Amino acid sequence: MTDRPLTLMAVHAHPDDEATSTGGILARYAAEGVRTVLVTCTDGGCGDGPGGVKPGDPGHDPAAVALMRKQELKESCDVLKISDLETLDYADSGMMGWPTNDAPGSFWQTPVQEGAARLADLMRQYRPDVVVTYDENGFYGHPDHIQAHRITMAALEMTDLTPKVYWTTMPRSVMRRFGEFMREFNPDMPEPDPAEVAEMAKMGLPDDEVSTWVDTTAYSGQKYDSLAAHASQGENIFFLKMGKERFGELMGVETFARVRDTTGAALPEDDLFAGLR
């Protein structure tokens, strides 16, 4: 046995990503005495600027946006009681197909082994028992999410650690509920393009393939507030339009696919640390 606390490491692409898919577990496990480590890979410079100015529009200053988003990230970490924040500060690559994908120094252009070596150093420092990141498609195809997945899996291979490893996911039943909520809050929303519907249907996993369902209902208020801390991106954060009560109804469980385990904990499970405590 050791006096070292159980440790969770979440590897995310941008400021605000920590809140969307893992805000509940970060808050819950912090409250349970787990050391929570957040690694944010990019500076978020391709986010909205003050007044909602969009990337590429006149007046959008990626450096100023990155500075603003770093402060918002710190505020979110305070809300979630995150123990340790590490930022790799690669340049935000923007959405797939944007010119910023090809910019020198962007995360998408960074050699995987370079990013992985930096992350492996952090893994050796913190020695996480559980590591969480995205699946190989970054859940929805964002280049920085895909790259975060790649460097995480490569970093794990560089270390002698044997943590439980999870990829964030969404049950297809919940994806359908999202569609219902979006129509409820946007009654004038046009009918979606059939091709988009088909792509959406591929996201997430069938319910019976989701390995881990973690109840974070008691922490949904913190999760909402952590999203709200990213005020500059509020226009893009649909969930904030729900209000806390409805948000808690939809976002009270966070779900994952377990991809590495040495504990033999039975599936499905309701705790990322099953078999470790």
Side-chain angles (χ1 to χ4, degrees):
M1 297 296 290
T2 175
D3 292 333
R4 185 181 66 84
L6 287 171
T7 300
L8 165 67
M9 176 179 282
V11 183
H12 281 292
H14 312 97
D16 77 24
D17 289 334
E18 80 287 344
T20 307
S21 58
T22 58
I25 59 164
L26 287 165
R28 171 180 162 168
Y29 289 122
E32 293 179 2
V34 171
R35 185 177 196 179
T36 50
V37 181
L38 170 64
V39 181
T40 301
C41 296
T42 80
D43 61 10
C46 286
D48 288 357
V53 62
K54 303 296 181 185
D57 287 350
H60 187 276
D61 180 351
V65 171
L67 188 63
M68 174 178 60
R69 296 194 72 184
K70 178 169 280 193
Q71 183 56 45
E72 292 176 340
L73 177 60
K74 290 177 180 176
E75 292 172 8
S76 171
C77 287
D78 287 344
V79 170
L80 297 174
K81 309 299 183 187
I82 290 171
S83 309
D84 301 272
L85 169 64
E86 299 283 353
T87 54
L88 301 184
D89 289 325
Y90 289 108
D92 190 341
S93 309
M95 299 295 286
M96 189 66 81
W98 287 12
T100 44
N101 294 175
D102 301 320
S106 72
F107 191 36
W108 188 236
Q109 290 299 314
T110 299
V112 169
Q113 294 301 302
E114 176 189 319
R118 294 181 63 193
L119 182 57
D121 284 344
L122 293 174
M123 289 180 175
R124 294 186 190 103
Q125 175 185 341
Y126 290 106
R127 303 192 68 81
D129 301 283
V130 171
V131 173
V132 176
T133 192
Y134 314 100
D135 63 20
E136 58 267 82
N137 190 47
F139 187 66
Y140 68 99
H142 193 297
D144 288 330
H145 290 223
I146 294 170
Q147 190 76 328
H149 163 86
R150 290 173 176 172
I151 74 162
T152 301
M153 302 313 291
L156 287 162
E157 294 305 314
M158 292 178 177
T159 71
D160 60 355
L161 306 175
T162 55
K164 297 179 77 177
V165 181
Y166 295 86
W167 295 344
T168 58
T169 192
M170 189 73 71
R172 296 263 167 84
S173 62
V174 176
M175 293 295 296
R176 289 191 291 273
R177 287 180 62 200
F178 272 133
E180 294 166 5
F181 268 84
M182 289 182 73
R183 284 188 290 275
E184 176 185 340
F185 284 90
N186 297 278
D188 298 326
M189 185 173 67
E191 286 296 315
D193 181 89
E196 291 181 6
V197 173
E199 281 302 308
M200 285 286 288
K202 299 176 186 176
M203 292 172 65
L205 289 174
D207 288 32
D208 61 0
E209 293 182 21
V210 175
S211 69
T212 311
W213 305 65
V214 184
D215 184 356
T216 60
T217 306
Y219 306 93
S220 60
Q222 277 176 266
K223 180 171 178 170
Y224 183 93
D225 289 342
S226 71
L227 278 168
H230 296 281
S232 68
Q233 309 307 304
E235 181 181 328
N236 301 319
I237 303 176
F238 162 76
F239 306 111
L240 294 176
K241 299 174 183 177
M242 299 180 181
K244 277 191 177 181
E245 184 176 348
R246 299 302 298 278
F247 179 85
E249 292 173 11
L250 187 62
M251 305 293 284
V253 175
E254 291 183 348
T255 48
F256 306 88
R258 193 175 81 186
V259 296
R260 182 179 297 182
D261 173 63
T262 58
T263 69
L267 295 178
E269 60 188 2
D270 60 6
D271 179 9
L272 299 179
F273 290 89
L276 293 170
R277 57 180 179 177

